[in-house]
Amino acid sequence: MTDSPALPDVNREWHLDSRPVGWPKPEDFSLVEAALPTPGEDQVLVRNLYVSVDPYMRGRMSAAKSYVAPYELGKPMQGGAVGEVVASNAEGIAVGDHVLHFFGWREYAAVDAKNAVKVDPDAAPLSTYLGVLGMTGLTAYAGLLRTAAFKEGDSVFVSGAAGAVGSQVGQIAKLKGASRVIGSAGSDEKVKLLVDEYGFDAAFNYKDGPVSEQLRAAAPDGVDVYFDNVGGDHLEAAIGSLNRDGRIAVCGAISVYNNTEPAPGPKNLSRLIQTRGRIEGFLVGDHYDLQPQFVQEVGPWVASGALKYRETVVEGIENNLEAFLGVLRGDNTGKMIVKL
């Protein structure tokens, strides 16, 4: 095994102690000191430099059956992370390499080499491999281009548009020839960002009035594609403004993640009969075959500045939980990252 000197004796890691009911509370979690893991055969020890917090993690805190296993109580939670290899028992990965893996919410992680993806810190900032060039970016790319079957000339509406996924959806649509891109966000500052920096044609603050009315004003000719990150009244509004053969890609429903009772569905689903509209949910994990194409196309846009991105960076493992709660509140602009 090759390793680097001066490793600590303990590893701080976040555990889920109880399953939240409604909004997660700090007492549902604990920051625990554990022994530093020792990498086994074909494993590497990674010092996490950046970790990701994402809305989907709220679902993993519940015991309900879902597309991914729930977090185990009393065990370290998981999530995307990128870090530096400080010890290696694996061929092809050396001390000093940087890797992307899925054992976040902790300072150090022992990772199977087959689950560690080498990344180049000289090609792009390390944090971007968790966001604009990572799973977040692929989510936007696959959802817009494959699930929603975007085509040049489409009018596109994106909810949660100032978030990590939504901001990329709108920009990719513009770069690929959308006739009009509209976004919703939760503050006037974010609305201004969508138009002035990300190039959206129109945007509105959903807190300023009924979403359906604001969407009709922003898209008087209707929308061909709706990329849904929010659910609830946004989904109902999009169905109301959907054009003939319109497509809706359901990525998330952050407005209902903390509900303790089932949220009512849109009251206007029958409108899909008139419009011949289609609603389809998707998971990024089903679209990893697009990863090479995604990097090849989006990488140069990011490098040239044609596709812009924002990150909200919170420092310190001790603030990992607060960063996650901030995502649920909508505190972030762009990707929420924790820098360790």
Side-chain angles (χ1 to χ4, degrees):
M1 180 174 76
T2 57
D3 57 21
S4 59
L7 295 178
D9 296 323
V10 297
N11 184 34
R12 289 187 294 172
E13 53 190 37
W14 280 96
H15 288 195
L16 182 66
D17 295 330
S18 57
R19 302 204 180 277
V21 177
W23 276 86
K25 302 181 294 295
E27 52 265 35
D28 294 324
F29 309 84
S30 59
L31 181 59
V32 175
E33 286 192 353
L36 190 74
T38 301
E41 186 178 355
D42 294 323
Q43 285 192 325
V44 295
L45 181 64
V46 182
R47 179 171 67 92
N48 288 335
L49 300 174
Y50 296 93
V51 300
S52 178
V53 287
D54 303 280
Y56 81 86
M57 293 173 174
R58 176 62 184 88
R60 296 196 68 184
M61 294 170 188
S62 166
K65 187 175 181 181
S66 184
Y67 60 89
V68 64
Y71 289 134
E72 294 184 63
L73 295 180
K75 299 283 184 68
M77 292 187 291
Q78 298 172 346
V82 64
E84 180 183 1
V85 175
V86 294
S88 176
N89 276 328
E91 286 188 27
I93 303 180
V95 169
D97 284 345
H98 292 84
V99 296
L100 176 68
H101 62 90
F102 208 66
F103 293 92
W105 289 85
R106 68 200 80 181
E107 292 176 306
Y108 288 82
V111 182
D112 290 344
K114 65 182 181 181
N115 296 327
V117 178
K118 285 205 284 189
V119 296
D120 184 357
D122 295 324
L126 285 171
S127 59
T128 63
Y129 293 105
L130 296 174
V132 67
L133 292 178
M135 185 175 71
T136 301
L138 182 60
T139 301
Y141 190 85
L144 177 67
L145 302 182
R146 178 175 279 174
T147 305
F150 170 86
K151 60 184 184 298
E152 187 176 354
D154 279 343
S155 173
V156 178
F157 172 44
V158 188
S159 58
V165 172
S167 59
Q168 239 174 302
V169 171
Q171 291 183 84
I172 292 172
K174 289 294 290 183
L175 287 163
K176 284 191 162 288
S179 60
R180 188 166 177 80
V181 174
I182 304 101
S184 73
S187 73
D188 293 342
E189 182 183 16
K190 289 180 179 180
V191 167
K192 188 173 188 300
L193 174 72
L194 292 177
V195 176
D196 292 352
E197 186 166 329
Y198 293 152
F200 283 57
D201 296 289
F204 60 85
N205 183 341
Y206 66 82
K207 298 174 183 175
D208 285 349
V211 175
S212 57
E213 293 179 10
Q214 295 197 75
L215 179 57
R216 279 196 297 270
D221 297 324
V223 297
D224 302 300
V225 168
Y226 170 48
F227 193 103
D228 189 16
N229 290 306
V230 173
D233 55 355
H234 281 74
L235 178 56
E236 186 168 296
I239 293 171
S241 285
L242 205 63
N243 290 331
R244 166 75 186 263
D245 298 317
R247 289 89 65 204
I248 295 173
V250 181
C251 177
I254 197 169
S255 68
V256 302
Y257 283 167
N258 294 304
N259 288 6
T260 55
E261 298 293 333
K267 298 189 292 289
N268 58 348
L269 279 174
S270 61
R271 193 169 184 278
L272 295 175
I273 301 169
Q274 303 163 239
T275 61
R276 292 74 155 175
R278 173 169 63 83
I279 300 179
E280 183 177 345
F282 75 98
L283 295 172
V284 66
D286 296 334
H287 301 282
Y288 280 126
D289 61 297
L290 289 177
Q291 180 77 24
Q293 175 184 323
F294 159 70
V295 172
Q296 183 178 19
E297 186 164 23
V298 176
W301 285 341
V302 173
S304 70
L307 194 153
K308 299 174 175 60
Y309 67 94
R310 289 282 190 97
E311 294 175 338
T312 300
V313 179
V314 172
E315 298 211 6
I317 186 71
E318 63 276 7
N319 294 314
N320 216 105
L321 175 60
E322 181 55 29
F324 167 71
L325 296 176
V327 169
L328 297 183
R329 292 191 299 260
D331 294 351
N332 56 303
T333 299
K335 184 77 182 77
M336 181 73 90
I337 300 282
V338 181
K339 180 180 180 181
L340 304 191

